[in-house]
Amino acid sequence: MSVDEAAYSNYVVYGPEANCTLALCPAELSVYQYQPTLPGNVCFLIFFAIAMIIHVAIGLKWRTWFFVICMFCGSVTEIIGYGGRIMLHYNPFSFTGFLIQISTFAFFSVLYLGPEHARFTPKAYYWIFIPCDILSLVLQSVGGALSSTSDGGSNAAVNVSLAGLSFQVFTLLVFIALTFEYAWRWQRARKATGIKKPLSRTFKIFVVFLSAATTLILIRCIYRIDELSEGYSGPLIKNEGLFIGLEGVMVLVAVYLLIIAHPGPVFRGFDDENALEQGTAGADLEKERETA
């Protein structure tokens, strides 16, 4: 539906001085050019809140403090973001709601089996990928902040956000490539040493669900790059259906997949298994000494 913008020239549609409301101006004049759905955004908020509670409960049980802090902060960010979209439902011209959304929507993991087969040490993965992730999120936040001081069409703001998203996709692809390379080196080492013991079912489930979650986040990031490629005037940013499917659903499903792929029971199981094997080996050695 085309809107005669000249008829609303006396109103401010964007910024802290915005005085448009749905009673005065059509939603097509807002930045997103639509009224965000209330049921959809409420559902996302509730499901992220449930996921947060589950992650905290599992994290407290297994004492995976770093992982649970990351998941807690990410879930809280999503909850706040959808709170902003609920504000935009009631008033698509709400500058506060716009700021909350663009400042909060954003997204880590390091797979570890054995340092002798990795190209880098486990600590190196932390020191390389976590700072890269933080940098990408900072760039996206800065882009959002710059957007808040413009009329919604700042090229600088869009370019900074695109730089953050592009860097996030690049580091994620590098991480995926290194993970595949690590798995190949590890499998080759198993064959060379004649190890035939299969991986546990728990670990296989962990790998599958972690891989799926990583793939969903990658899809989400690629979508956001395409969405912002034409700035705030592009067609994708005006399509709520695509936002729900490729932003909301992708991130929500990834968060729930990471409940199943929680590292606590997997790597605690590895520790218990190793301890058992070491204990058995020690007992056999002791028996040999007694019989000698």
Side-chain angles (χ1 to χ4, degrees):
M1 183 182 73
S2 60
V3 177
D4 182 9
E5 296 185 16
Y8 302 93
S9 58
N10 293 328
Y11 294 99
V12 179
V13 300
Y14 179 86
E17 304 300 326
N19 55 11
C20 262
T21 64
L22 285 176
L24 301 172
C25 309
E28 287 78 6
L29 290 178
S30 65
V31 173
Y32 295 113
Q33 299 186 20
Y34 63 79
Q35 182 183 12
T37 172
L38 181 62
N41 289 303
V42 169
C43 286
F44 277 120
L45 189 151
I46 292 173
F47 285 132
F48 274 112
I50 293 173
M52 179 188 68
I53 293 171
I54 296 174
H55 271 293
V56 170
I58 298 175
L60 291 175
K61 176 182 178 180
W62 293 103
R63 298 184 179 183
T64 50
W65 306 123
F66 181 75
F67 184 82
V68 73
I69 289 173
C70 291
M71 297 308 301
F72 174 81
C73 292
S75 298
V76 168
T77 299
E78 293 291 329
I79 291 169
I80 295 174
Y82 282 102
R85 286 187 66 82
I86 290 172
M87 293 176 64
L88 290 174
H89 166 80
Y90 289 107
N91 181 14
F93 307 95
S94 170
F95 187 62
T96 301
F98 174 76
L99 285 183
I100 289 174
Q101 177 184 322
I102 65 171
S103 300
T104 53
F105 283 136
F107 190 69
F108 5 37
S109 60
V110 172
L111 181 62
Y112 170 69
L113 275 172
E116 66 275 15
H117 307 303
R119 186 162 294 277
F120 307 110
T121 64
K123 286 185 178 180
Y125 281 86
Y126 281 100
W127 287 109
I128 293 173
F129 288 104
I130 292 178
C132 285
D133 202 30
I134 292 173
L135 176 60
S136 68
L137 298 182
V138 167
L139 287 173
Q140 292 175 60
S141 298
V142 171
L146 290 174
S147 295
S148 70
T149 60
S150 71
D151 61 355
S154 169
N155 288 330
V158 171
N159 290 337
V160 172
S161 294
L162 280 173
L165 285 165
S166 299
F167 186 64
Q168 188 173 25
V169 168
F170 171 74
T171 54
L172 191 54
L173 287 173
V174 172
F175 172 75
I176 292 172
L178 287 174
T179 301
F180 275 111
E181 192 236 11
Y182 170 79
W184 175 75
R185 289 161 62 96
W186 180 79
Q187 184 63 29
R188 188 177 63 174
R190 279 169 58 90
K191 290 181 179 180
T193 55
I195 298 176
K196 298 181 180 180
K197 184 179 179 181
L199 291 171
S200 68
R201 180 172 177 271
T202 301
F203 185 77
K204 289 180 180 178
I205 292 174
F206 168 80
V207 171
V208 169
F209 281 84
L210 178 61
S211 300
T214 304
T215 302
L216 293 179
I217 294 304
L218 180 61
I219 293 172
R220 174 262 177 193
C221 291
I222 293 173
Y223 156 70
R224 294 307 299 271
I225 290 174
D226 196 17
E227 178 194 42
L228 285 176
S229 61
E230 297 183 52
Y232 289 100
S233 59
L236 293 184
I237 205 166
K238 305 169 188 174
N239 191 321
E240 185 179 25
L242 284 178
F243 177 86
I244 291 174
L246 296 177
E247 164 70 33
V249 173
M250 293 295 106
V251 177
L252 181 64
V253 174
V255 169
Y256 276 90
L257 289 176
L258 289 174
I259 291 175
I260 301 174
H262 190 94
V266 178
F267 294 107
R268 179 64 62 84
F270 272 13
D271 291 341
D272 293 344
E273 204 172 281
N274 290 337
L276 180 61
E277 290 179 356
Q278 292 174 6
T280 303
D284 292 342
L285 181 61
E286 187 65 29
K287 287 180 181 179
E288 289 179 5
R289 287 176 178 174
E290 290 177 355
T291 56

